[in-house]
């Protein structure tokens, strides 16, 4: 039943996307991208609506008829859509060599096996998952009329101010299935990891071609901490899903400036990022600022300005849910326990800055649990392949890069300002901060990198005249 | 072309080896039983959990030494298991959950904290009440 519930939720997202970007149902990069985006769209819509109904009508609200009806409408939208929207196709380029395809397949298999091995050993996830996300879901599922106990001040240690996309989705699955099971958070984690990889590969495929897409996919699926944090059932990979979805959609927007639905959808994804984790709120602010900077920076302002407005329109609804939750339902955030003078003291103490910078440099070198620091490998890749950015990609690349840098800066600043035990916080958070931005970072890196030449260039066929000359001079 | 091929193959090799290393780590942790047993902890508290009503509040006492690093994790696990009741790490509640690591209650510790047993659920899990209340 849990898998049926999740399938219905995914169908809502996929149906919405198929309605926005209709194309025939067949195996294509277009449909892979929509399938992947549908995971987050369905999860975000279902979670937001579940919370709105919970806050308005209470926990006795029967969810099945509504979810069923929405899924049925989505199926109708998928089946009956005859319109032809913008086509997302593979970018032109040389076909990936056989060994790249084999390694890509191996990376998918290894990541899936590792995920399954980790969750079967630890079905409740790591401590941060069960003591925060799954604990909240249990309260919301078990407490009935007392569901607001989930945000009690007595549970301060479990961050009752964190947003509810993941616990809400898990609770909704349990409600629809009529039982509590660790299958729900595990399936949610798996779907978000699958969707993140799907968006990264398909968006790169549409922007740069199959070869760069497969290499980007290998790098993401080969990031051990991407797999381990997914299997830990933390909220970091779902957040990375929404970050890469927003950035990918804005990249596609700048390739197809006539179709502003990409920006609307990007705004929706950024809004869901804020509904996933507090760091998502920082990303939401950063992407709006970055897009505004892009509007000012580039000459062709008309389409970019329209894109900015649509981005704002898209994020309005999820942001309203987040604001209502923070103002009326959620418990206090960590920042609210510190007095302004303590925050100023933290800000002014140079030791905290030095410690943070030191830890950040180390985290960059250790990131991803790669056997060799991946930062060095990317530097080598850049040295060999170099960057070559198409003029049509420059606005998106500017928006994405500024947004990621601003988000990271905001995360580090929050840590310096609000963290009680800074060394412990840095030790446990920096890897996760980087991972939240990593899939979008891979997307932007391979979007900017120059063309790859992995197969020998074919010699043009010799003309008959050339053959005659060649045979004449042969001894 | 050769330089491009080299850098791509190297990148792919590092990525694949890193995930494979992680898989070996997971398999090693499982075979050496290094996984923190949430399920085992939950089954210990099963008897108490079945009696829990929503909106109830309990205090918490453990026989772990104050500096034991597992103490905090066990308290969090007790809360995770007993949700939707709220468990507070305090003895200033009418009902207190005692989490002991032996089947026989530590009467000395209970006496020291002026606690009387309300119900013994076995496996070192007890529901206690402050004496004199």
């Amino acid at each position: 039943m849990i898998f049926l519930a999740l399938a219905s939720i995914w169908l809502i997202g996929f149906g919405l996307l198929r309605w926005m970007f209709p194309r025939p149902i067949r195996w294509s990069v277009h449909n892979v991208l929509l399938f992947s985006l549908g995971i987050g769209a369905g999860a975000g819509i279902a979670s937001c609506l579940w919370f709105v109904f919970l806050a308005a009508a209470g926990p006795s609200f029967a969810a099945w008829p509504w979810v069923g009806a929405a899924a049925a409408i989505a199926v109708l939208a998928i089946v009956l859509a005859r319109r032809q929207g913008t086509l997302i196709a593979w970018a032109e380029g040389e076909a990936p060599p056989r060994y790249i395809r084999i390694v890509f397949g191996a990376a998918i298999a290894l990541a899936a096996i590792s995920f399954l091995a980790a969750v079967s050993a630890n079905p409740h996830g790591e401590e941060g998952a069960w003591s925060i996300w799954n604990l909240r879901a249990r309260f919301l599922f078990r407490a009935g009329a007392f569901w607001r106990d989930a945000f009690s001040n007595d549970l301060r240690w479990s961050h009752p101010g964190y947003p509810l996309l993941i616990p809400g989705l898990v609770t909704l699955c349990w409600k629809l299935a009529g039982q509590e099971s660790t299958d729900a958070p595990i399936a949610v984690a798996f779907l978000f990891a699958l969707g993140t990889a799907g968006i990264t590969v398909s968006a790169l495929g549409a922007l740069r071609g199959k070869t760069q897409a497969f290499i980007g996919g290998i790098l993401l699926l080969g990031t051990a901490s991407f797999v381990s944090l997914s299997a830990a059932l933390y909220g970091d990979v779902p957040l990375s899903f929404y970050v890469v979805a927003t950035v990918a959609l804005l990249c596609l927007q700048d390739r197809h400036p006539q179709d502003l639905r990409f920006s609307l959808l990007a705004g929706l994804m950024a809004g869901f990022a804020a509904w996933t984790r507090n760091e998502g709120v920082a990303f939401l602010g950063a992407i709006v600022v970055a897009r505004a900077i892009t509007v000012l920076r580039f000459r062709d302002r008309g389409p970019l300005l329209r894109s900015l407005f649509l981005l704002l329109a898209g994020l309005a609804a999820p942001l309203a849910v987040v604001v209502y939750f923070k103002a009326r339902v959620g418990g206090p955030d960590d920042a609210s326990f510190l007095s302004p003078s303590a925050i100023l003291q933290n800000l002014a103490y140079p030791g905290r800055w030095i410690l943070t910078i030191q830890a950040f440099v180390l985290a960059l070198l250790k990131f991803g649990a790669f056997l060799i620091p991946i930062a060095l490998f990317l530097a080598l890749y850049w040295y060999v392949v170099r960057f070559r950015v198409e003029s049509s990609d420059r606005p998106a690349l500017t928006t994405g890069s500024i947004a990621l840098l601003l988000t990271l800066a905001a995360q580090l600043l929050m840590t310096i300002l609000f963290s009680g035990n800074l060394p412990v916080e840095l030790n446990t958070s920096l890897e996760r901060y980087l991972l939240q931005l990593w899939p979008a970072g891979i997307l932007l890196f391979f979007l900017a990198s120059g063309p790859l030449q992995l197969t020998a260039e074919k010699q043009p066929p010799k003309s008959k005249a050339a053959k005659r000359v060649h045979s004449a001079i042969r001894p | 072309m050769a330089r491009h091929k080299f850098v791509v193959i190297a990148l792919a090799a590092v990525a694949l080896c890193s995930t494979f290393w992680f898989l070996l780590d997971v398999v090693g942790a499982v075979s050496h039983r290094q996984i923190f047993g949430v399920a085992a902890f939950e089954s210990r508290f099963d008897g108490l959990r079945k009696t829990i009503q929503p909106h109830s509040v309990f205090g918490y006492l453990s026989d772990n030494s104050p500096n034991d690093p597992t103490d905090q994790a066990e308290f969090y696990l007790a809360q995770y298991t007993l949700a939707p009741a709220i468990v507070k790490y305090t003895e200033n509640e009418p009902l207190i959950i005692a989490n002991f690591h032996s089947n026989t209650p530590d009467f000395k510790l209970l006496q020291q904290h002026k606690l009387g047993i309300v119900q013994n659920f076995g496996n070192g899990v007890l529901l206690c009440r402050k004496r004199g209340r």
Side-chain angles (χ1 to χ4, degrees):
Chain A
M1 275 306 273
I2 279 173
F3 297 109
L4 190 63
L6 270 173
S8 307
I9 289 166
W10 166 77
L11 210 52
I12 294 169
F14 187 57
L16 172 76
L17 289 160
R18 295 265 325 154
W19 177 70
M20 290 176 87
F21 302 100
R23 278 278 153 179
I25 300 175
R26 60 185 164 80
W27 181 251
S28 64
V29 70
H30 184 97
N31 284 325
V32 172
L33 182 65
L34 296 196
F35 173 94
S36 309
L37 287 169
I39 293 169
I45 292 167
S47 176
C48 281
L49 288 180
W50 162 83
F51 174 70
V52 169
F53 281 117
L54 178 72
S60 55
F61 167 72
W64 248 128
W66 294 96
V67 174
I73 292 169
V75 171
L76 281 178
I78 292 166
V79 174
L80 298 179
R82 291 272 182 264
R83 293 175 299 126
Q84 296 282 303
T86 302
L87 173 68
I88 302 156
W90 291 108
E92 284 178 13
E94 65 173 36
R98 204 173 132 82
Y99 63 86
I100 294 278
R101 292 169 188 269
I102 292 171
V103 173
F104 181 58
I108 294 173
L110 256 180
I113 293 168
S114 303
F115 178 90
L116 292 174
V119 293
S120 59
N122 220 358
H124 293 268
E126 294 294 331
E127 184 181 320
W130 52 254
S131 69
I132 299 173
W133 308 108
N134 295 346
L135 173 66
R136 197 85 62 245
R138 279 190 170 184
F139 264 99
L140 294 167
F141 180 69
R142 293 176 179 177
F146 302 104
W147 61 273
R148 282 176 190 264
D149 283 356
F151 313 101
S152 162
N153 255 338
D154 294 323
L155 300 171
R156 250 170 58 171
W157 52 268
S158 123
H159 308 286
Y162 279 10
L164 285 185
L165 189 137
I166 303 290
L169 195 60
V170 170
T171 309
L172 183 61
C173 286
W174 287 343
K175 284 223 172 217
L176 295 176
Q179 60 170 357
E180 200 182 300
S181 155
T182 51
D183 289 348
I186 290 172
V188 167
F190 182 80
L191 283 176
F192 271 110
L194 179 73
T196 307
I199 292 170
T200 310
V201 172
S202 54
L204 265 176
L207 295 163
R208 292 304 313 273
K210 267 186 190 173
T211 306
Q212 305 269 19
F214 286 178
I215 296 169
I218 291 166
L219 185 57
L220 179 62
L221 293 168
T223 309
S225 60
F226 175 73
V227 182
S228 66
L229 287 174
S230 291
L233 312 184
Y234 289 163
D236 301 290
V237 172
L239 178 57
S240 79
F241 173 99
Y242 289 115
V243 172
V244 73
T246 309
V247 173
L249 285 162
L250 287 178
C251 290
L252 290 166
Q253 175 65 83
D254 292 346
R255 284 284 180 94
H256 305 278
Q258 76 290 350
D259 190 345
L260 286 166
R261 281 172 287 196
F262 287 108
S263 289
L264 190 71
L265 198 55
L268 192 68
M269 294 293 175
F272 291 149
W275 185 229
T276 307
R277 286 187 66 96
N278 281 347
E279 292 93 332
V281 180
F283 171 72
L284 185 138
I287 196 80
V288 172
V289 170
R291 201 60 173 169
I293 291 172
T294 311
V295 171
L296 296 174
R297 167 80 178 73
F298 288 87
R299 282 184 188 165
D300 193 12
R301 285 184 190 163
L304 287 171
L305 201 58
R306 283 195 290 278
S307 161
L308 177 62
F309 285 135
L310 266 289
L311 182 79
L312 291 170
L315 61 82
L319 184 62
V321 173
V322 175
V323 170
Y324 177 79
F325 169 76
K326 293 276 182 190
R328 304 293 296 272
V329 178
D333 274 317
D334 302 352
S336 60
F337 300 122
L338 284 176
S339 64
S341 64
I343 295 170
L344 277 177
Q345 220 169 15
N346 286 346
L347 181 70
Y349 184 54
R352 292 176 77 88
W353 290 86
I354 293 167
L355 194 66
T356 305
I357 292 166
Q358 205 176 24
F360 180 69
V361 172
L362 272 177
L364 273 183
L365 292 175
K366 290 197 305 190
F367 171 71
F370 286 100
L371 297 179
I372 298 168
I374 199 64
L376 300 181
F377 251 98
L378 289 180
L380 176 71
Y381 191 96
W382 167 79
Y383 179 74
V384 172
V385 181
R386 300 288 165 155
F387 286 160
R388 201 171 80 188
V389 182
E390 301 289 329
S391 61
S392 62
D393 291 333
R394 283 193 183 143
L397 207 61
T398 308
T399 307
S401 310
I402 293 175
L404 297 194
L405 288 173
L406 280 179
T407 309
L408 190 60
Q411 287 167 332
L412 294 177
L413 186 65
M414 296 294 159
T415 309
I416 291 171
L417 292 182
F418 302 122
S419 164
N421 190 340
L422 189 62
V424 172
E425 184 71 20
L426 291 171
N427 198 26
T428 54
S429 300
L430 288 180
E431 172 83 10
R432 294 187 298 104
Y433 289 166
L434 289 171
L435 189 88
Q436 290 164 10
L437 309 177
W438 178 234
I442 289 177
L443 177 71
L444 294 176
F445 182 85
F446 285 100
L447 179 64
S449 75
L452 275 173
Q453 199 195 335
L454 298 175
T455 47
E457 276 183 53
K458 283 179 188 167
Q459 298 294 320
K462 287 177 181 170
S463 65
K464 282 182 182 174
K467 277 181 188 167
R468 274 200 298 274
V469 171
H470 185 70
S471 56
I473 60 171
R474 200 165 49 192
Chain B
M1 187 194 90
R3 290 195 316 162
H4 284 195
K5 214 169 176 176
F6 163 75
V7 79
V8 166
I9 289 173
L11 197 71
V14 168
L16 273 191
C17 290
S18 303
T19 325
F20 189 66
W21 200 257
F22 167 68
L23 180 60
L24 291 181
D25 273 351
V26 173
V27 172
V30 172
S31 56
H32 291 96
R33 294 170 186 272
Q34 288 170 352
I35 304 291
F36 198 70
V38 178
F41 195 91
E42 288 214 300
S43 70
R44 275 184 61 218
F45 277 75
D46 227 22
L48 173 58
R49 191 178 58 78
K50 284 173 186 161
T51 67
I52 292 281
Q53 293 296 314
H55 208 47
S56 43
V57 181
F58 296 96
Y60 179 84
L61 174 76
S62 165
D63 60 353
N64 285 320
S65 65
N67 296 326
D68 190 338
T70 62
D71 190 44
Q72 191 185 51
E74 286 193 5
F75 166 66
Y76 291 171
L77 267 178
Q79 173 62 82
Y80 177 62
T81 305
L82 300 174
I86 290 177
V87 184
K88 295 160 76 173
Y89 207 138
T90 174
E91 288 155 42
N92 297 327
E93 288 295 329
L95 289 172
I96 289 145
I97 292 160
N99 171 26
F100 293 153
H101 293 82
S102 63
N103 280 335
T104 45
D106 186 343
F107 289 107
K108 202 174 157 189
L109 191 67
L110 290 174
Q111 206 164 25
Q112 196 183 327
H113 290 271
K114 296 177 182 162
L115 293 175
I117 298 175
V118 175
Q119 196 174 346
N120 185 349
F121 292 94
N123 301 317
V125 178
L126 300 108
L127 187 63
C128 305
R129 192 188 297 276
K130 202 88 177 166
R131 281 203 195 115
R133 281 193 187 237

